[in-house]
Amino acid sequence: MAELTAVVRDAAEVVVGPEEAERGDDASAPLVRREDAAVAVVDGRVAAVGPSDEVTREHPPENAAVAVDAAGKSVIPGFVDAHTHALFAGDRSDEFEAKLRGKTYQEIMAEGGGILRTVGATRAASDDDLLEILLSHLDTMLAHGTTTAEVKSGYGLDVETELRMLEVVARADERHPIDVVPTFMGAHAVPPGVDADDYVDEVVSEQLPAVEAQGIAEFCDVFCDEGAFTVEASRRVLEAGREAGLAPKIHADEFATLGGSRLAADLGATSADHLLRSTDEDVEALVEAGVVPVLLPGTAFALGAGYADAGAFLDRGAPVAVATDFNPNCYSQSLGFAASLACVGMRMTPAQALVSVTRNGALALDRTDGLGTLREGAPADLVVLDAPSHVHLPYNFAVNAVETVLKGGEVAHARNGSGAAHE
Ligand code: NIG
Ligand code: FE
């Protein structure tokens, strides 16, 4: 017999998701919202969503393991953070200060700071230390409403540490309520003293076969930019990644427009990320090829750079995803804050911003089972906001409005005194 796991009742609104939940639909389509609504969860999936009296009649809260009174509150899908570098050791807060004094990200990188500095700290850390660091960041993400998060390797840049990072990501996935999606990113930077072409050879002929044999990573990502990897090198890595069973993703057009977007379109990559400097032709190519654009407004904010042109993608009906890019250069675990930046910095509507951190984040991770929505049958990952509508998510910027988080219908996080009743 099916087990009734949770009922969230009397919500001021339940946001179900975008009107059409098929990939490539008009991302500006209105949200499906239900007022005075409830959500019932059976076996970890949404069994019913609709008027509170009807849903609770059919699914009495007293029979549920978890009953949440959401009176006056907004219930939204759990956030899907489709781009993070959440596994790293060390501290680069001094680089934040240096950047404020006028140093550029690439000057810092050329001096051995930036990614390479984090590589040194990550190589030196033990597996258990790395796991502890990642779990603590995942706790913060969960408390801010994230229920699924991609995490990249890429601070090892050698076979041993890249594999160690992916192993730690898999261990964190087992232990933490957040579903963690592992991405291999050996091509994140060229290690010091190594010739760039030789390093690409190493990624392709040593790292990727080892990653394939390990069997953890799902995606392969590459930093295609000035001071990182050329389009040709990126193509080699992503094609070899695909042969190893890893779907391609790419960091493109962050600092320079090298042609990374065209490469993503050509390969039919799952996503192309950053896109701060993409041209109209790049946008056209990405949309035409069905590549999910992942915009990272926190990075633009932290760099003091211009934001990506979200409107260019939205006008063409692309399912724009917004992610945190959480890393030592962009130190925020909060997708709520990213949603505020998406609205104020990229002129997205609150509804578009919400879809970008939920359903479209799921599409950027190739999850098409309803993840990021609260449609019937979707995974019951949901957030109760301490606010009457989803608009408050971006509107109340830099404040965490998340009160309760359910993952698969179980309480994964409850702010003290939130009134979530669980037995
Ligand atoms: O997506 N741009 C490349 N990689 C990361 C930054 C990583 C770092 O600075 O440690 C990014 O922003
Ligand atoms: Fe990144």
Side-chain angles (χ1 to χ4, degrees), residues 4-364:
L4 179 56
T5 19
V7 176
V8 180
R9 65 181 166 83
D10 292 325
E13 68 166 1
V14 173
V15 173
V16 179
E19 196 153 74
E20 292 295 326
E22 296 308 319
R23 187 173 182 137
D25 283 333
D26 180 1
S28 62
L31 281 183
V32 177
R33 295 165 58 251
R34 309 255 183 259
E35 295 187 355
D36 302 318
V39 181
V41 177
V42 176
D43 291 339
R45 299 216 160 233
V46 176
V49 49
S52 208
D53 48 356
E54 282 177 26
V55 171
T56 53
R57 207 174 311 123
E58 195 170 337
H59 302 278
E62 34 312 350
N63 297 348
V66 174
V68 179
D69 175 359
K73 303 188 171 165
S74 172
V75 175
I76 60 177
F79 302 144
V80 180
D81 195 342
H83 183 138
T84 88
H85 305 255
L87 176 52
F88 55 85
D91 183 333
R92 281 168 39 201
S93 53
D94 56 343
E95 292 179 9
F96 177 65
E97 295 182 292
K99 279 179 285 174
L100 294 174
R101 287 196 303 269
K103 268 221 171 131
T104 66
Y105 178 82
Q106 288 177 308
E107 280 165 1
I108 293 170
M109 190 148 112
E111 289 166 8
I115 295 174
L116 295 179
R117 193 163 157 216
T118 303
V119 168
T122 304
R123 285 179 180 171
S126 71
D127 291 5
D128 286 348
D129 286 348
L130 289 174
L131 179 63
E132 205 175 303
I133 293 168
L134 177 54
L135 289 173
S136 116
H137 290 318
L138 290 172
D139 283 347
T140 306
M141 293 159 87
L142 180 67
H144 286 78
T146 297
T147 46
T148 300
E150 185 252 20
V151 177
K152 302 176 198 294
S153 70
Y155 292 121
L157 310 185
D158 60 28
V159 178
E160 185 201 332
T161 320
E162 288 295 314
L163 293 183
R164 284 208 299 129
M165 286 190 75
L166 290 167
E167 184 66 42
V168 167
V169 169
R171 281 169 71 194
D173 179 47
E174 267 170 33
R175 271 163 221 225
H176 201 277
I178 290 182
D179 273 325
V180 188
V181 178
T183 294
F184 165 65
M185 198 173 179
H188 195 194
V190 180
V194 179
D195 171 77
D197 289 335
D198 291 347
Y199 185 63
V200 174
D201 287 344
E202 180 189 321
V203 171
V204 167
S205 50
E206 288 177 47
Q207 294 185 16
L208 268 168
V211 167
E212 182 180 14
Q214 186 189 35
I216 291 173
E218 195 174 324
F219 294 99
C220 180
D221 198 344
V222 55
F223 185 13
C224 179
D225 220 306
E226 236 164 53
F229 296 89
T230 63
V231 174
E232 295 68 37
S234 302
R235 178 185 284 279
R236 272 192 73 199
V237 170
L238 294 179
E239 283 180 346
R242 178 169 269 162
E243 268 172 40
L246 309 181
K249 282 179 167 284
I250 188 166
H251 284 57
D253 306 335
E254 181 181 359
F255 296 102
T257 316
L258 297 189
S261 295
R262 305 302 178 83
L263 174 62
D266 197 42
L267 295 175
T270 304
S271 73
D273 304 36
H274 282 293
L275 310 177
L276 293 181
R277 292 167 190 271
S278 304
T279 64
D280 265 4
E281 292 71 35
D282 293 327
V283 172
E284 195 68 55
L286 288 171
V287 175
E288 183 74 17
V291 179
V292 178
V294 179
L295 308 184
L296 307 164
T299 314
F301 175 78
L303 291 169
Y307 289 89
D309 187 357
F313 290 100
L314 292 167
D315 289 348
R316 292 170 166 91
V320 171
V322 165
T324 59
D325 194 23
F326 173 50
N327 74 70
N329 178 58
C330 175
Y331 207 75
S332 171
Q333 298 89 335
S334 168
L335 268 176
F337 184 58
S340 298
L341 295 177
C343 292
V344 178
M346 302 198 293
R347 313 311 299 170
M348 288 170 70
T349 66
Q352 288 169 339
L354 182 67
V355 173
S356 76
V357 297
T358 53
R359 195 275 302 235
N360 292 352
L363 293 183

